[in-house]
Amino acid sequence: MLLQNKVCIVTGATRGIGLAIARFFAAQGAWVFVNGRDSQRVNDVVAELQSAGGRADAFVCDVADPNSVKLAYKEFLTKSKTIDVLVNNAGILDDALIGMVTPAQIERTFSINTYAVLYMSQYAARIMAKAKSGSIINLTSIIGTNGNSGQAVYGGSKAAVIGITKSLAKELAASHIRVNAIAPGFIDTDMARSIPPAVFDTRVASVAMKRIGTPEEIAGVAAFLGSDLSAYVTGQIIGVDGGMLI
Amino acid sequence: MSQATLIKCFAESLGIPAEQVTDELQYNTIPQWDSVAHMTLIAALEDAFEIMLDTDDIIDMSSVAKAKEILARYEVSF
């Protein structure tokens, strides 16, 4: 198995891409710490993974709140002294034309999509550095690499994740911690289904493979980046988008 | 015991003689105590005293004396 006995934290793991990653990681032998804000939903996912024969624990916190993150890591350290893989997946999508963007929307989007990556990585990097090993996987987006109308806030928050990824890759390489990002295209999640049907169809038409991607297809690449198969890969932004043009 | 452990952490992390680890020694005043060595020191202290330091405390740990003051808040006595 790709991730046998690897200790992995997956943020935003109660649905969508994060849930698919948590399931696949557990199936690949990982000990998965499931993150979410809602303890009931987190515990449901933990129970699901365990009933499928996997090893899982809860990592309940609001990743956008540094104090909440700190407390969650303290709790985590009572269960495990090491982290092999951190997947910074938690994110929100809240589109608006620039003239209608509110300060609260900017703050909330950047808090969850961007600041949280720094808060979570800060502690993970310290723990990984002690073992001189680890892999941090950040979820950016094709909107972060290419931009899109009506998505200045989301695109900005995801472009920042690319800067964080490349900078951390350089800073942490000496500690043998790899840092990479996945840039999904149009993926079949609640987030994608929240857009109007006409926009949905236009998005699918823009994909060279003419279909929406699945969360499992992101999970596969995340498993590669978390595993030793990618031992010499760092600072990379891997598009998983079916040849989407935007 | 804690004092000896603290000195050992500083000396090994910064690569300096134990005699140089005095309360007056300050961050960034010797070439050996730079930001990279500081994070190595933090890891050593966390391991030695079995604690997890808050980010604010890592930033505030600007001298050996300050390190003792901060560690005291984590129930390490000197």
Side-chain angles (χ1 to χ4, degrees), chain A residues 70-71 73-74 77 122-123 126-127 130, chain B residues 39 42-43 46-47 52-55 58:
Chain A
K70 179 176 75 182
L71 294 174
Y73 269 110
K74 283 189 173 168
L77 285 170
Q122 211 169 17
Y123 289 101
R126 282 167 55 193
I127 298 166
K130 291 176 187 175
Chain B
M39 292 313 296
I42 295 300
E46 287 184 328
D47 276 348
M52 189 181 92
L53 290 160
D54 291 352
T55 305
I58 293 172

Short mmCIF file of all heavy atoms in Angstrom, two decimals, chain A residues 70-71 73-74 77 122-123 126-127 130, chain B residues 39 42-43 46-47 52-55 58:
data_model
loop_
_atom_site.label_atom_id
_atom_site.label_comp_id
_atom_site.label_asym_id
_atom_site.label_seq_id
_atom_site.Cartn_x
_atom_site.Cartn_y
_atom_site.Cartn_z
N LYS A 70 -3.85 25.55 17.13
CA LYS A 70 -2.86 25.22 18.17
C LYS A 70 -3.41 24.15 19.13
O LYS A 70 -2.73 23.17 19.44
CB LYS A 70 -2.50 26.49 18.94
CG LYS A 70 -1.49 26.27 20.05
CD LYS A 70 -1.10 27.58 20.71
CE LYS A 70 -2.21 28.08 21.61
NZ LYS A 70 -1.90 29.38 22.22
N LEU A 71 -4.63 24.36 19.58
CA LEU A 71 -5.23 23.41 20.51
C LEU A 71 -5.41 22.03 19.88
O LEU A 71 -5.20 21.00 20.53
CB LEU A 71 -6.57 23.95 21.01
CG LEU A 71 -6.49 25.21 21.88
CD1 LEU A 71 -7.88 25.74 22.21
CD2 LEU A 71 -5.70 24.95 23.16
N TYR A 73 -3.54 20.73 17.52
CA TYR A 73 -2.22 20.08 17.44
C TYR A 73 -1.81 19.54 18.81
O TYR A 73 -1.18 18.48 18.90
CB TYR A 73 -1.16 21.04 16.91
CG TYR A 73 -1.02 20.97 15.39
CD1 TYR A 73 -1.44 22.02 14.58
CD2 TYR A 73 -0.44 19.87 14.77
CE1 TYR A 73 -1.32 21.96 13.20
CE2 TYR A 73 -0.31 19.79 13.40
CZ TYR A 73 -0.74 20.84 12.62
OH TYR A 73 -0.62 20.77 11.25
N LYS A 74 -2.13 20.28 19.87
CA LYS A 74 -1.79 19.79 21.22
C LYS A 74 -2.50 18.47 21.49
O LYS A 74 -1.93 17.54 22.04
CB LYS A 74 -2.15 20.84 22.27
CG LYS A 74 -1.13 21.97 22.30
CD LYS A 74 -1.33 22.91 23.48
CE LYS A 74 -0.17 23.89 23.53
NZ LYS A 74 -0.39 25.01 24.43
N LEU A 77 -0.91 15.70 19.43
CA LEU A 77 0.37 15.21 19.95
C LEU A 77 0.22 14.22 21.09
O LEU A 77 1.16 13.49 21.42
CB LEU A 77 1.25 16.39 20.39
CG LEU A 77 1.89 17.18 19.23
CD1 LEU A 77 2.53 18.46 19.73
CD2 LEU A 77 2.91 16.33 18.47
N GLN A 122 2.66 25.58 9.82
CA GLN A 122 3.58 26.04 10.85
C GLN A 122 3.88 24.93 11.86
O GLN A 122 5.04 24.63 12.16
CB GLN A 122 2.93 27.22 11.55
CG GLN A 122 3.87 28.23 12.07
CD GLN A 122 3.15 29.50 12.53
OE1 GLN A 122 1.94 29.51 12.74
NE2 GLN A 122 3.91 30.55 12.68
N TYR A 123 2.84 24.35 12.41
CA TYR A 123 3.02 23.30 13.41
C TYR A 123 3.49 22.00 12.77
O TYR A 123 4.36 21.30 13.30
CB TYR A 123 1.72 23.08 14.19
CG TYR A 123 1.40 24.22 15.12
CD1 TYR A 123 0.46 25.18 14.78
CD2 TYR A 123 2.06 24.36 16.34
CE1 TYR A 123 0.18 26.25 15.62
CE2 TYR A 123 1.80 25.42 17.19
CZ TYR A 123 0.84 26.36 16.82
OH TYR A 123 0.58 27.41 17.66
N ARG A 126 7.19 21.96 12.06
CA ARG A 126 8.01 21.79 13.26
C ARG A 126 8.07 20.32 13.68
O ARG A 126 9.12 19.82 14.07
CB ARG A 126 7.45 22.64 14.41
CG ARG A 126 7.82 24.11 14.27
CD ARG A 126 7.01 24.97 15.20
NE ARG A 126 7.13 24.55 16.59
CZ ARG A 126 6.32 24.99 17.56
NH1 ARG A 126 5.34 25.84 17.28
NH2 ARG A 126 6.49 24.59 18.80
N ILE A 127 6.92 19.66 13.59
CA ILE A 127 6.88 18.25 13.99
C ILE A 127 7.62 17.38 12.96
O ILE A 127 8.39 16.49 13.32
CB ILE A 127 5.42 17.79 14.16
CG1 ILE A 127 4.75 18.60 15.29
CG2 ILE A 127 5.34 16.30 14.45
CD1 ILE A 127 3.24 18.48 15.34
N LYS A 130 11.55 17.41 13.09
CA LYS A 130 12.21 16.57 14.09
C LYS A 130 12.53 15.19 13.51
O LYS A 130 13.53 14.58 13.87
CB LYS A 130 11.32 16.43 15.32
CG LYS A 130 11.20 17.73 16.10
CD LYS A 130 10.25 17.60 17.27
CE LYS A 130 10.03 18.95 17.91
NZ LYS A 130 9.04 18.94 18.98
N MET B 39 15.22 27.58 15.34
CA MET B 39 14.21 26.53 15.19
C MET B 39 14.75 25.16 15.63
O MET B 39 14.00 24.34 16.15
CB MET B 39 13.71 26.48 13.73
CG MET B 39 12.91 27.70 13.31
SD MET B 39 11.63 28.23 14.49
CE MET B 39 10.51 26.82 14.47
N ILE B 42 14.47 25.27 19.35
CA ILE B 42 13.08 25.07 19.77
C ILE B 42 12.74 23.58 19.77
O ILE B 42 12.15 23.06 20.72
CB ILE B 42 12.11 25.84 18.84
CG1 ILE B 42 12.32 27.36 18.96
CG2 ILE B 42 10.65 25.47 19.11
CD1 ILE B 42 12.11 27.92 20.33
N ALA B 43 13.13 22.90 18.70
CA ALA B 43 12.86 21.46 18.61
C ALA B 43 13.55 20.70 19.75
O ALA B 43 12.96 19.79 20.35
CB ALA B 43 13.33 20.93 17.25
N GLU B 46 11.69 21.41 23.00
CA GLU B 46 10.41 20.69 23.02
C GLU B 46 10.62 19.21 23.32
O GLU B 46 9.85 18.62 24.08
CB GLU B 46 9.68 20.89 21.69
CG GLU B 46 9.11 22.28 21.52
CD GLU B 46 8.31 22.45 20.24
OE1 GLU B 46 8.65 21.79 19.23
OE2 GLU B 46 7.37 23.24 20.23
N ASP B 47 11.64 18.64 22.71
CA ASP B 47 11.92 17.22 22.95
C ASP B 47 12.39 16.98 24.39
O ASP B 47 11.92 16.06 25.05
CB ASP B 47 13.01 16.73 21.98
CG ASP B 47 12.42 16.35 20.63
OD1 ASP B 47 11.18 16.24 20.55
OD2 ASP B 47 13.19 16.17 19.69
N MET B 52 5.04 21.57 23.85
CA MET B 52 4.89 22.19 22.53
C MET B 52 4.77 23.69 22.73
O MET B 52 3.81 24.17 23.34
CB MET B 52 3.67 21.66 21.80
CG MET B 52 3.63 22.12 20.34
SD MET B 52 2.17 21.55 19.43
CE MET B 52 1.05 22.91 19.69
N LEU B 53 5.77 24.40 22.27
CA LEU B 53 5.79 25.85 22.47
C LEU B 53 4.84 26.56 21.52
O LEU B 53 4.71 26.18 20.35
CB LEU B 53 7.21 26.38 22.26
CG LEU B 53 8.22 25.97 23.33
CD1 LEU B 53 9.65 26.09 22.81
CD2 LEU B 53 8.04 26.84 24.58
N ASP B 54 4.18 27.60 22.03
CA ASP B 54 3.33 28.43 21.18
C ASP B 54 4.21 29.26 20.26
O ASP B 54 5.35 29.59 20.60
CB ASP B 54 2.49 29.38 22.04
CG ASP B 54 1.44 28.63 22.84
OD1 ASP B 54 1.27 27.42 22.60
OD2 ASP B 54 0.80 29.26 23.70
N THR B 55 3.64 29.62 19.13
CA THR B 55 4.39 30.43 18.16
C THR B 55 4.87 31.74 18.78
O THR B 55 6.01 32.17 18.56
CB THR B 55 3.51 30.72 16.93
OG1 THR B 55 3.04 29.48 16.42
CG2 THR B 55 4.30 31.44 15.84
N ILE B 58 7.95 31.18 20.76
CA ILE B 58 9.13 30.94 19.91
C ILE B 58 9.72 32.28 19.48
O ILE B 58 10.94 32.49 19.50
CB ILE B 58 8.73 30.11 18.66
CG1 ILE B 58 8.31 28.70 19.09
CG2 ILE B 58 9.89 30.05 17.66
CD1 ILE B 58 7.73 27.87 17.96
#
